[in-house]
Coordinates of all heavy atoms in Angstrom, one line a residue:
M17 N -301.5 -10.0 -141.1 CA -302.4 -9.2 -141.8 C -303.6 -8.9 -141.0 O -304.3 -9.8 -140.5 CB -302.7 -10.0 -143.1 CG -303.6 -9.2 -144.1 SD -303.6 -10.1 -145.7 CE -305.0 -9.4 -146.4
P18 N -304.1 -7.7 -140.9 CA -305.2 -7.3 -140.1 C -306.5 -7.8 -140.8 O -306.6 -8.0 -142.0 CB -305.2 -5.8 -140.0 CG -304.2 -5.4 -141.1 CD -303.3 -6.5 -141.4
E19 N -307.5 -8.1 -139.8 CA -308.7 -8.6 -140.3 C -309.5 -7.5 -141.1 O -309.5 -6.4 -140.7 CB -309.6 -9.1 -139.1 CG -310.9 -9.8 -139.5 CD -311.6 -10.4 -138.3 OE1 -311.0 -10.8 -137.3 OE2 -312.9 -10.3 -138.3
K20 N -310.2 -7.9 -142.1 CA -311.0 -6.9 -142.9 C -312.2 -6.5 -142.1 O -312.9 -7.3 -141.5 CB -311.3 -7.5 -144.3 CG -310.2 -7.8 -145.2 CD -310.7 -8.4 -146.5 CE -309.5 -8.7 -147.3 NZ -309.9 -9.4 -148.5
K21 N -312.4 -5.2 -142.3 CA -313.7 -4.6 -141.7 C -314.6 -4.5 -142.9 O -314.3 -3.7 -143.7 CB -313.4 -3.3 -141.0 CG -314.5 -2.6 -140.3 CD -314.0 -1.3 -139.7 CE -315.2 -0.6 -139.1 NZ -314.6 0.7 -138.5
K22 N -315.7 -5.2 -142.9 CA -316.6 -5.2 -144.1 C -317.8 -4.4 -143.9 O -318.3 -4.3 -142.8 CB -317.0 -6.7 -144.4 CG -315.8 -7.5 -144.8 CD -316.2 -8.9 -145.2 CE -315.2 -9.8 -145.5 NZ -315.6 -11.2 -145.7
A23 N -318.3 -3.9 -145.0 CA -319.6 -3.1 -145.0 C -320.4 -3.4 -146.2 O -319.8 -3.9 -147.2 CB -319.2 -1.6 -145.0
V24 N -321.7 -3.3 -146.1 CA -322.6 -3.6 -147.2 C -323.1 -2.2 -147.7 O -323.7 -1.5 -146.8 CB -323.8 -4.5 -146.7 CG1 -324.8 -4.7 -147.8 CG2 -323.2 -5.8 -146.2
V25 N -323.0 -2.0 -148.9 CA -323.6 -0.8 -149.6 C -324.7 -1.2 -150.5 O -324.6 -2.1 -151.3 CB -322.5 -0.1 -150.4 CG1 -323.1 1.2 -151.1 CG2 -321.3 0.3 -149.6
T26 N -325.9 -0.5 -150.3 CA -327.0 -0.8 -151.1 C -327.4 0.5 -151.9 O -327.4 1.5 -151.3 CB -328.2 -1.3 -150.3 OG1 -328.5 -0.3 -149.3 CG2 -327.9 -2.6 -149.6
V27 N -327.8 0.3 -153.1 CA -328.1 1.4 -154.0 C -329.5 1.1 -154.7 O -329.6 0.0 -155.2 CB -327.1 1.7 -155.1 CG1 -327.5 2.9 -155.9 CG2 -325.7 1.9 -154.4
L28 N -330.4 2.0 -154.6 CA -331.8 1.7 -155.2 C -332.3 3.0 -155.8 O -332.3 4.0 -155.1 CB -332.7 1.2 -154.2 CG -334.1 0.9 -154.6 CD1 -334.2 -0.2 -155.8 CD2 -335.1 0.5 -153.5
G29 N -332.8 2.9 -157.0 CA -333.4 4.1 -157.7 C -333.6 3.9 -159.1 O -333.3 2.9 -159.7
Y30 N -334.1 4.9 -159.8 CA -334.3 4.8 -161.2 C -332.9 4.8 -161.9 O -332.0 5.5 -161.6 CB -335.2 5.9 -161.8 CG -336.6 5.8 -161.4 CD1 -337.2 6.6 -160.4 CD2 -337.4 4.9 -162.0 CE1 -338.5 6.5 -160.0 CE2 -338.8 4.7 -161.6 CZ -339.2 5.5 -160.6 OH -340.6 5.4 -160.2
D31 N -332.8 3.9 -162.9 CA -331.6 3.7 -163.6 C -331.2 5.0 -164.3 O -332.1 5.7 -164.8 CB -331.7 2.6 -164.7 CG -330.4 2.2 -165.3 OD1 -329.4 2.3 -164.6 OD2 -330.4 1.9 -166.5
Q32 N -329.9 5.3 -164.3 CA -329.3 6.4 -165.0 C -327.8 6.1 -165.3 O -327.2 5.3 -164.6 CB -329.5 7.7 -164.2 CG -329.0 7.7 -162.8 CD -329.4 8.9 -162.0 OE1 -328.8 9.9 -162.2 NE2 -330.3 8.7 -161.1
K33 N -327.2 6.9 -166.2 CA -325.8 6.7 -166.5 C -325.0 7.1 -165.3 O -325.2 8.1 -164.6 CB -325.5 7.5 -167.7 CG -326.1 7.0 -169.0 CD -325.6 7.9 -170.1 CE -326.4 7.5 -171.4 NZ -326.0 8.4 -172.5
G34 N -323.9 6.3 -165.0 CA -322.9 6.7 -164.1 C -323.1 6.3 -162.7 O -322.2 6.6 -161.8
I35 N -324.1 5.6 -162.3 CA -324.3 5.3 -160.9 C -323.1 4.5 -160.4 O -322.5 4.8 -159.4 CB -325.7 4.5 -160.6 CG1 -326.8 5.3 -160.9 CG2 -325.7 4.0 -159.2 CD1 -328.2 4.6 -160.9
I36 N -322.8 3.4 -161.1 CA -321.7 2.5 -160.7 C -320.4 3.3 -160.6 O -319.6 3.2 -159.6 CB -321.6 1.2 -161.5 CG1 -322.8 0.4 -161.3 CG2 -320.4 0.4 -161.1 CD1 -323.0 -0.8 -162.3
A37 N -320.1 4.1 -161.7 CA -318.9 4.9 -161.7 C -318.8 5.8 -160.6 O -317.7 5.9 -160.0 CB -318.8 5.6 -163.0
K38 N -319.8 6.5 -160.3 CA -319.8 7.5 -159.2 C -319.6 6.9 -157.8 O -318.9 7.4 -157.0 CB -321.0 8.5 -159.2 CG -320.9 9.3 -160.5 CD -322.2 10.2 -160.7 CE -322.0 11.0 -162.0 NZ -323.2 11.8 -162.3
V39 N -320.4 5.8 -157.6 CA -320.2 5.1 -156.3 C -318.8 4.5 -156.1 O -318.2 4.7 -155.1 CB -321.2 4.0 -156.1 CG1 -321.0 3.1 -154.9 CG2 -322.7 4.6 -156.0
S40 N -318.3 4.0 -157.2 CA -317.0 3.4 -157.2 C -315.9 4.5 -157.0 O -314.9 4.2 -156.3 CB -316.7 2.7 -158.5 OG -317.5 1.6 -158.7
A41 N -316.1 5.6 -157.6 CA -315.1 6.7 -157.4 C -315.0 7.1 -156.0 O -313.9 7.4 -155.5 CB -315.5 7.9 -158.3
I42 N -316.2 7.3 -155.3 CA -316.2 7.6 -153.9 C -315.4 6.5 -153.0 O -314.6 6.9 -152.2 CB -317.6 7.8 -153.3 CG1 -318.2 9.2 -153.9 CG2 -317.6 7.9 -151.8 CD1 -319.6 9.4 -153.5
L43 N -315.7 5.3 -153.3 CA -315.1 4.2 -152.6 C -313.5 4.3 -152.9 O -312.7 4.1 -151.9 CB -315.6 2.8 -153.0 CG -317.1 2.6 -152.7 CD1 -317.5 1.3 -153.3 CD2 -317.4 2.8 -151.2
Y44 N -313.2 4.5 -154.1 CA -311.7 4.6 -154.4 C -311.1 5.7 -153.7 O -310.0 5.5 -153.1 CB -311.5 4.8 -155.9 CG -310.1 5.0 -156.3 CD1 -309.2 4.0 -156.4 CD2 -309.6 6.3 -156.6 CE1 -307.9 4.2 -156.8 CE2 -308.4 6.6 -157.0 CZ -307.5 5.5 -157.1 OH -306.1 5.7 -157.4
E45 N -311.7 6.9 -153.6 CA -311.2 8.1 -152.9 C -311.0 7.8 -151.5 O -310.2 8.4 -150.8 CB -312.0 9.3 -153.2 CG -312.0 9.8 -154.6 CD -313.1 10.8 -154.9 OE1 -313.8 11.3 -153.9 OE2 -313.3 11.2 -156.1
C46 N -311.8 6.9 -150.9 CA -311.7 6.6 -149.4 C -310.9 5.3 -149.2 O -311.0 4.8 -148.1 CB -313.2 6.4 -148.9 SG -314.0 8.0 -148.7
D47 N -310.2 4.9 -150.2 CA -309.3 3.7 -150.1 C -310.1 2.4 -149.7 O -309.7 1.7 -148.9 CB -308.2 4.0 -149.1 CG -307.1 3.0 -149.3 OD1 -306.8 2.4 -150.4 OD2 -306.4 2.7 -148.3
V48 N -311.3 2.3 -150.2 CA -312.2 1.2 -150.0 C -312.1 0.2 -151.1 O -312.1 0.6 -152.3 CB -313.7 1.7 -149.8 CG1 -314.6 0.4 -149.7 CG2 -313.8 2.5 -148.6
N49 N -311.9 -1.1 -150.8 CA -311.8 -2.1 -151.8 C -313.2 -2.8 -151.9 O -313.8 -3.3 -151.0 CB -310.8 -3.2 -151.4 CG -310.5 -4.2 -152.5 OD1 -310.6 -3.8 -153.7 ND2 -310.3 -5.4 -152.1
I50 N -313.7 -3.0 -153.2 CA -314.9 -3.7 -153.4 C -314.6 -5.2 -153.4 O -313.7 -5.7 -154.2 CB -315.6 -3.3 -154.7 CG1 -316.0 -1.8 -154.7 CG2 -316.7 -4.2 -155.0 CD1 -316.5 -1.3 -156.0
L51 N -315.2 -6.0 -152.6 CA -315.0 -7.4 -152.4 C -316.0 -8.2 -153.3 O -315.6 -9.3 -153.8 CB -315.1 -7.8 -151.0 CG -314.1 -7.2 -150.0 CD1 -314.4 -7.5 -148.6 CD2 -312.7 -7.4 -150.4
D52 N -317.2 -7.8 -153.3 CA -318.3 -8.5 -154.1 C -319.3 -7.4 -154.6 O -319.5 -6.5 -153.8 CB -318.9 -9.6 -153.2 CG -319.7 -10.6 -154.0 OD1 -319.7 -10.5 -155.3 OD2 -320.2 -11.5 -153.4
I53 N -319.8 -7.7 -155.7 CA -320.8 -6.7 -156.2 C -321.8 -7.4 -157.1 O -321.5 -8.3 -157.8 CB -320.1 -5.5 -157.0 CG1 -321.1 -4.5 -157.4 CG2 -319.4 -6.1 -158.2 CD1 -320.4 -3.2 -158.0
S54 N -323.1 -7.0 -156.9 CA -324.2 -7.5 -157.7 C -325.1 -6.3 -158.1 O -325.4 -5.5 -157.2 CB -325.0 -8.6 -156.9 OG -326.1 -8.9 -157.7
Q55 N -325.4 -6.2 -159.4 CA -326.4 -5.1 -159.8 C -327.4 -5.7 -160.7 O -327.1 -6.6 -161.5 CB -325.7 -3.9 -160.3 CG -324.9 -4.1 -161.5 CD -325.8 -3.8 -162.8 OE1 -326.6 -2.9 -162.7 NE2 -325.5 -4.5 -163.9
T56 N -328.5 -5.2 -160.8 CA -329.6 -5.5 -161.7 C -330.5 -4.3 -162.0 O -330.5 -3.4 -161.2 CB -330.4 -6.7 -161.2 OG1 -331.2 -7.1 -162.2 CG2 -331.2 -6.3 -160.0
I57 N -331.1 -4.4 -163.1 CA -332.1 -3.4 -163.5 C -333.4 -4.1 -163.9 O -333.4 -5.0 -164.7 CB -331.6 -2.6 -164.7 CG1 -330.3 -1.8 -164.4 CG2 -332.7 -1.5 -165.1 CD1 -329.6 -1.3 -165.6
V58 N -334.5 -3.8 -163.2 CA -335.7 -4.4 -163.5 C -336.7 -3.3 -163.6 O -336.9 -2.5 -162.7 CB -336.2 -5.3 -162.2 CG1 -337.6 -5.9 -162.4 CG2 -335.1 -6.4 -162.0
A59 N -337.4 -3.3 -164.8 CA -338.4 -2.3 -165.1 C -338.0 -0.8 -164.8 O -338.7 0.0 -164.3 CB -339.7 -2.5 -164.3
G60 N -336.7 -0.6 -165.2 CA -336.1 0.7 -165.1 C -335.6 1.0 -163.7 O -335.1 2.2 -163.5
L61 N -335.7 0.1 -162.7 CA -335.2 0.4 -161.4 C -333.8 -0.3 -161.3 O -333.7 -1.4 -161.6 CB -336.1 -0.2 -160.3 CG -337.4 0.6 -160.2 CD1 -338.4 -0.1 -159.2 CD2 -337.2 2.0 -159.7
F62 N -332.9 0.5 -160.8 CA -331.5 0.0 -160.6 C -331.4 -0.4 -159.1 O -331.8 0.3 -158.3 CB -330.5 1.2 -160.9 CG -329.1 0.8 -160.6 CD1 -328.3 0.3 -161.6 CD2 -328.5 1.1 -159.5 CE1 -327.0 -0.1 -161.4 CE2 -327.2 0.7 -159.2 CZ -326.4 0.2 -160.2
N63 N -330.8 -1.6 -159.0 CA -330.5 -2.1 -157.6 C -329.1 -2.7 -157.6 O -328.7 -3.5 -158.5 CB -331.5 -3.2 -157.3 CG -331.3 -3.8 -155.9 OD1 -331.0 -3.1 -154.9 ND2 -331.4 -5.1 -155.7
M64 N -328.3 -2.3 -156.6 CA -327.0 -2.7 -156.5 C -326.7 -3.0 -155.0 O -327.1 -2.3 -154.1 CB -325.9 -1.7 -157.0 CG -324.5 -2.2 -156.9 SD -323.4 -1.1 -157.7 CE -323.4 0.4 -156.7
V65 N -326.0 -4.1 -154.8 CA -325.6 -4.4 -153.4 C -324.1 -4.8 -153.6 O -323.7 -5.6 -154.5 CB -326.3 -5.7 -152.8 CG1 -325.7 -6.1 -151.5 CG2 -327.8 -5.4 -152.7
L66 N -323.3 -4.2 -152.8 CA -321.8 -4.5 -152.8 C -321.3 -4.7 -151.4 O -321.8 -4.1 -150.4 CB -321.0 -3.6 -153.6 CG -320.8 -2.1 -153.1 CD1 -319.7 -2.0 -152.1 CD2 -320.6 -1.2 -154.3
V67 N -320.3 -5.6 -151.2 CA -319.6 -5.8 -150.0 C -318.2 -5.2 -150.2 O -317.6 -5.4 -151.2 CB -319.5 -7.3 -149.7 CG1 -318.7 -7.4 -148.3 CG2 -320.9 -7.9 -149.5
A68 N -317.8 -4.4 -149.2 CA -316.5 -3.6 -149.3 C -315.7 -3.8 -148.1 O -316.2 -3.9 -147.0 CB -316.8 -2.1 -149.6
D69 N -314.4 -3.7 -148.3 CA -313.4 -3.7 -147.1 C -313.2 -2.2 -146.8 O -312.7 -1.4 -147.6 CB -312.1 -4.4 -147.6 CG -311.1 -4.3 -146.5 OD1 -311.3 -3.8 -145.5 OD2 -310.0 -4.8 -146.8
V70 N -313.7 -1.8 -145.6 CA -313.6 -0.4 -145.1 C -312.5 -0.3 -144.0 O -312.6 0.6 -143.2 CB -314.9 0.1 -144.7 CG1 -315.8 0.3 -145.9 CG2 -315.5 -0.7 -143.6
S71 N -311.5 -1.2 -144.1 CA -310.5 -1.2 -143.0 C -309.6 -0.1 -143.1 O -308.9 0.3 -142.1 CB -309.7 -2.5 -143.1 OG -310.5 -3.6 -143.0
S72 N -309.4 0.6 -144.2 CA -308.4 1.6 -144.4 C -308.7 2.9 -143.4 O -309.8 3.3 -143.4 CB -308.3 2.1 -145.8 OG -307.4 3.2 -145.9
P73 N -307.7 3.4 -142.8 CA -307.9 4.6 -142.0 C -307.9 5.9 -142.8 O -308.1 7.0 -142.3 CB -306.6 4.6 -141.1 CG -305.6 3.9 -141.9 CD -306.3 2.9 -142.7
A74 N -307.8 5.7 -144.2 CA -307.9 6.9 -145.1 C -309.1 7.7 -145.0 O -309.1 9.0 -145.3 CB -307.6 6.5 -146.5
C75 N -310.2 7.1 -144.6 CA -311.6 7.8 -144.6 C -312.4 7.2 -143.5 O -312.5 5.9 -143.5 CB -312.2 7.6 -145.9 SG -313.7 8.6 -146.2
S76 N -312.9 7.9 -142.5 CA -313.7 7.4 -141.5 C -315.0 6.8 -142.1 O -315.5 7.2 -143.1 CB -314.0 8.4 -140.4 OG -315.0 9.3 -140.9
F77 N -315.6 5.8 -141.3 CA -316.9 5.2 -141.8 C -317.9 6.3 -141.9 O -318.7 6.3 -142.8 CB -317.3 4.1 -140.8 CG -318.5 3.4 -141.3 CD1 -318.5 2.4 -142.2 CD2 -319.8 3.8 -140.8 CE1 -319.7 1.8 -142.7 CE2 -320.9 3.2 -141.2 CZ -320.9 2.1 -142.1
D78 N -318.0 7.2 -140.9 CA -319.0 8.3 -141.0 C -318.8 9.2 -142.1 O -319.8 9.6 -142.8 CB -318.9 9.1 -139.6 CG -319.4 8.4 -138.5 OD1 -320.1 7.4 -138.6 OD2 -319.1 8.8 -137.3
A79 N -317.5 9.5 -142.5 CA -317.3 10.4 -143.7 C -317.7 9.7 -144.9 O -318.2 10.3 -145.8 CB -315.7 10.8 -143.7
L80 N -317.4 8.4 -145.1 CA -317.8 7.6 -146.2 C -319.3 7.5 -146.3 O -319.8 7.8 -147.4 CB -317.2 6.1 -146.1 CG -317.6 5.2 -147.1 CD1 -317.2 5.6 -148.5 CD2 -317.0 3.8 -146.9
S81 N -319.9 7.3 -145.2 CA -321.4 7.3 -145.2 C -322.0 8.6 -145.7 O -323.0 8.7 -146.5 CB -321.9 7.0 -143.8 OG -323.3 6.9 -143.8
K82 N -321.4 9.7 -145.2 CA -321.9 11.1 -145.7 C -321.6 11.2 -147.1 O -322.5 11.8 -147.8 CB -321.1 12.1 -144.8 CG -321.4 13.5 -145.2 CD -322.7 14.0 -144.6 CE -322.8 15.5 -144.7 NZ -323.7 16.0 -145.8
H83 N -320.5 10.9 -147.7 CA -320.1 11.0 -149.1 C -321.2 10.3 -149.9 O -321.7 10.8 -150.9 CB -318.8 10.5 -149.4 CG -317.6 11.4 -148.9 ND1 -317.6 12.8 -148.9 CD2 -316.5 11.0 -148.3 CE1 -316.5 13.2 -148.4 NE2 -315.8 12.2 -148.0
L84 N -321.5 9.0 -149.5 CA -322.4 8.2 -150.3 C -323.9 8.8 -150.2 O -324.6 8.8 -151.2 CB -322.3 6.8 -149.8 CG -321.1 6.0 -150.1 CD1 -321.1 4.7 -149.3 CD2 -320.9 5.9 -151.7
S85 N -324.2 9.2 -149.0 CA -325.6 9.8 -148.8 C -325.7 11.0 -149.7 O -326.7 11.3 -150.3 CB -325.8 10.1 -147.4 OG -327.0 10.7 -147.2
D86 N -324.7 11.8 -149.7 CA -324.7 13.1 -150.5 C -324.8 12.8 -152.0 O -325.6 13.5 -152.7 CB -323.5 13.9 -150.3 CG -323.4 14.6 -148.9 OD1 -324.4 14.6 -148.2 OD2 -322.4 15.1 -148.5
L87 N -324.1 11.8 -152.5 CA -324.2 11.3 -153.8 C -325.6 10.8 -154.1 O -326.2 11.2 -155.2 CB -323.2 10.2 -154.1 CG -323.3 9.6 -155.5 CD1 -323.0 10.7 -156.6 CD2 -322.4 8.4 -155.7
G88 N -326.2 10.1 -153.2 CA -327.6 9.6 -153.4 C -328.6 10.8 -153.6 O -329.4 10.8 -154.5
E89 N -328.4 11.8 -152.8 CA -329.3 13.0 -152.9 C -329.1 13.7 -154.2 O -330.0 14.1 -154.9 CB -329.0 14.0 -151.8 CG -329.6 13.5 -150.4 CD -329.3 14.6 -149.3 OE1 -329.3 15.8 -149.6 OE2 -329.2 14.1 -148.1
E90 N -327.8 13.8 -154.6 CA -327.5 14.5 -155.9 C -328.1 13.7 -157.1 O -328.6 14.3 -158.0 CB -325.9 14.5 -156.1 CG -325.5 15.0 -157.4 CD -324.0 14.8 -157.5 OE1 -323.2 15.0 -156.5 OE2 -323.5 14.5 -158.6
L91 N -328.1 12.3 -157.1 CA -328.6 11.5 -158.1 C -330.1 11.2 -158.0 O -330.7 10.6 -158.9 CB -327.8 10.2 -158.2 CG -326.4 10.4 -158.6 CD1 -325.7 9.0 -158.5 CD2 -326.1 11.1 -159.9
G92 N -330.7 11.5 -156.9 CA -332.1 11.2 -156.6 C -332.3 9.8 -156.4 O -333.3 9.2 -156.8
I93 N -331.3 9.0 -155.7 CA -331.4 7.6 -155.5 C -331.1 7.4 -154.0 O -330.7 8.3 -153.3 CB -330.5 6.7 -156.3 CG1 -329.1 7.2 -156.1 CG2 -330.9 6.9 -157.8 CD1 -328.0 6.3 -156.9
Q94 N -331.4 6.2 -153.5 CA -331.0 5.9 -152.1 C -329.7 5.1 -152.0 O -329.6 4.1 -152.8 CB -332.1 5.0 -151.5 CG -333.4 5.6 -151.3 CD -334.4 4.6 -150.7 OE1 -334.1 3.5 -150.4 NE2 -335.7 5.1 -150.6
I95 N -328.8 5.6 -151.3 CA -327.5 4.8 -151.1 C -327.3 4.7 -149.6 O -327.3 5.8 -148.9 CB -326.3 5.6 -151.7 CG1 -326.5 5.8 -153.1 CG2 -325.0 4.7 -151.5 CD1 -325.4 6.6 -153.9
R96 N -327.2 3.5 -149.1 CA -327.0 3.2 -147.7 C -325.7 2.4 -147.5 O -325.4 1.5 -148.3 CB -328.2 2.5 -147.1 CG -329.5 3.3 -147.2 CD -330.5 2.8 -146.2 NE -331.9 3.2 -146.3 CZ -332.4 4.4 -146.6 NH1 -331.6 5.3 -147.1 NH2 -333.6 4.6 -146.6
I97 N -325.1 2.6 -146.4 CA -323.9 1.7 -146.0 C -324.1 1.2 -144.5 O -324.5 2.1 -143.7 CB -322.6 2.4 -146.2 CG1 -321.5 1.5 -146.0 CG2 -322.4 3.7 -145.4 CD1 -320.1 2.0 -146.4
Q98 N -323.9 0.0 -144.3 CA -323.9 -0.6 -142.9 C -322.8 -1.4 -142.7 O -322.4 -2.2 -143.7 CB -325.2 -1.4 -142.7 CG -326.5 -0.6 -142.9 CD -327.7 -1.6 -142.8 OE1 -327.7 -2.7 -143.3 NE2 -328.8 -1.1 -142.2
L99 N -322.1 -1.5 -141.6 CA -321.1 -2.4 -141.2 C -321.7 -3.8 -141.3 O -322.9 -4.0 -141.0 CB -320.5 -2.2 -139.9 CG -319.7 -0.9 -139.7 CD1 -319.3 -0.6 -138.3 CD2 -318.5 -0.9 -140.7
S100 N -321.0 -4.7 -141.9 CA -321.5 -6.1 -142.1 C -322.0 -6.8 -140.8 O -323.0 -7.5 -140.9 CB -320.5 -7.0 -142.9 OG -319.4 -7.2 -142.1
E101 N -321.3 -6.5 -139.7 CA -321.8 -7.2 -138.5 C -323.2 -6.7 -138.0 O -324.0 -7.5 -137.6 CB -320.8 -7.1 -137.3 CG -320.4 -5.7 -137.0 CD -319.1 -5.3 -137.6 OE1 -318.5 -5.9 -138.5 OE2 -318.6 -4.3 -137.2
I102 N -323.5 -5.5 -138.3 CA -324.8 -4.9 -138.0 C -325.8 -5.5 -139.0 O -326.9 -5.9 -138.6 CB -324.8 -3.3 -138.0 CG1 -323.8 -2.8 -136.9 CG2 -326.2 -2.8 -137.9 CD1 -323.6 -1.4 -137.0
F103 N -325.5 -5.5 -140.3 CA -326.3 -6.0 -141.3 C -326.7 -7.5 -141.0 O -327.8 -7.9 -141.1 CB -325.6 -5.8 -142.7 CG -326.5 -6.2 -143.8 CD1 -327.4 -5.3 -144.4 CD2 -326.3 -7.5 -144.4 CE1 -328.2 -5.7 -145.4 CE2 -327.1 -7.9 -145.5 CZ -328.0 -6.9 -146.0
E104 N -325.7 -8.2 -140.6 CA -325.9 -9.7 -140.4 C -326.8 -9.9 -139.2 O -327.6 -10.7 -139.1 CB -324.5 -10.4 -140.2 CG -323.7 -10.5 -141.5 CD -322.3 -10.9 -141.4 OE1 -321.9 -11.1 -140.3 OE2 -321.7 -10.9 -142.4
A105 N -326.5 -9.1 -138.1 CA -327.3 -9.2 -136.8 C -328.7 -8.9 -137.1 O -329.6 -9.5 -136.5 CB -326.7 -8.3 -135.8
M106 N -329.0 -7.9 -137.9 CA -330.4 -7.5 -138.3 C -331.1 -8.6 -139.0 O -332.4 -8.6 -138.9 CB -330.4 -6.2 -139.1 CG -330.0 -5.0 -138.3 SD -329.9 -3.5 -139.4 CE -331.2 -3.6 -140.5
H107 N -330.4 -9.4 -139.7 CA -331.1 -10.4 -140.6 C -331.0 -11.8 -140.0 O -331.3 -12.8 -140.8 CB -330.5 -10.3 -142.0 CG -330.9 -9.0 -142.6 ND1 -330.1 -7.9 -142.5 CD2 -332.0 -8.6 -143.3 CE1 -330.7 -6.9 -143.1 NE2 -331.8 -7.3 -143.7
Q108 N -330.6 -12.0 -138.8 CA -330.6 -13.3 -138.2 C -332.0 -13.5 -137.5 O -332.7 -12.7 -137.1 CB -329.6 -13.4 -137.1 CG -328.2 -13.4 -137.7 CD -327.1 -13.6 -136.6 OE1 -327.5 -13.5 -135.4 NE2 -325.9 -13.8 -136.9
I109 N -332.4 -14.8 -137.6 CA -333.7 -15.2 -137.0 C -333.5 -15.6 -135.6 O -332.6 -16.3 -135.3 CB -334.4 -16.3 -137.9 CG1 -334.7 -15.7 -139.3 CG2 -335.6 -16.8 -137.2 CD1 -335.2 -16.8 -140.2

């Protein structure tokens, strides 16, 4: 079984209906599996962090990043995706 290629997706913005559904739909269309997810709303601000398996060749990482970025612009929120090894390296002391 091939090793999973993981990515971290972060979402931040004012809460509105459908954020999770729309992000999940893009991930589904790109054959991405959500491995872990956490979301919270504080004072009307929506925050979500999810870890996903982006190993599938169905959608390139760059294409997935563009789809998520476009959705963020459409909804007026920030959506970012980083490969987990880059994310982990940035946060090591």
Side-chain angles (χ1 to χ4, degrees):
M17 185 169 162
E19 187 174 328
K20 291 179 182 176
K21 183 176 175 185
K22 295 180 185 176
V24 177
V25 178
T26 57
V27 181
L28 178 63
Y30 287 107
D31 187 33
Q32 56 190 285
K33 292 179 185 176
I35 295 173
I36 296 172
K38 290 176 182 179
V39 170
S40 297
I42 288 174
L43 297 177
Y44 175 78
E45 290 169 10
C46 287
D47 195 30
V48 171
N49 186 37
I50 297 172
L51 302 172
D52 197 3
I53 186 170
S54 173
Q55 67 88 32
T56 187
I57 301 167
V58 177
L61 288 174
F62 178 88
N63 182 40
M64 179 170 70
V65 178
L66 68 84
V67 177
D69 177 1
V70 293
S71 302
S72 174
C75 187
S76 74
F77 183 81
D78 289 340
L80 175 59
S81 180
K82 175 84 168 102
H83 291 315
L84 291 171
S85 178
D86 290 348
L87 175 63
E89 287 184 30
E90 175 187 322
L91 297 177
I93 60 177
Q94 294 178 5
I95 304 176
R96 298 196 188 333
I97 186 169
Q98 297 176 323
L99 291 173
S100 63
E101 56 262 11
I102 294 171
F103 186 82
E104 291 166 4
M106 286 176 39
H107 293 89
Q108 287 182 351
I109 295 177

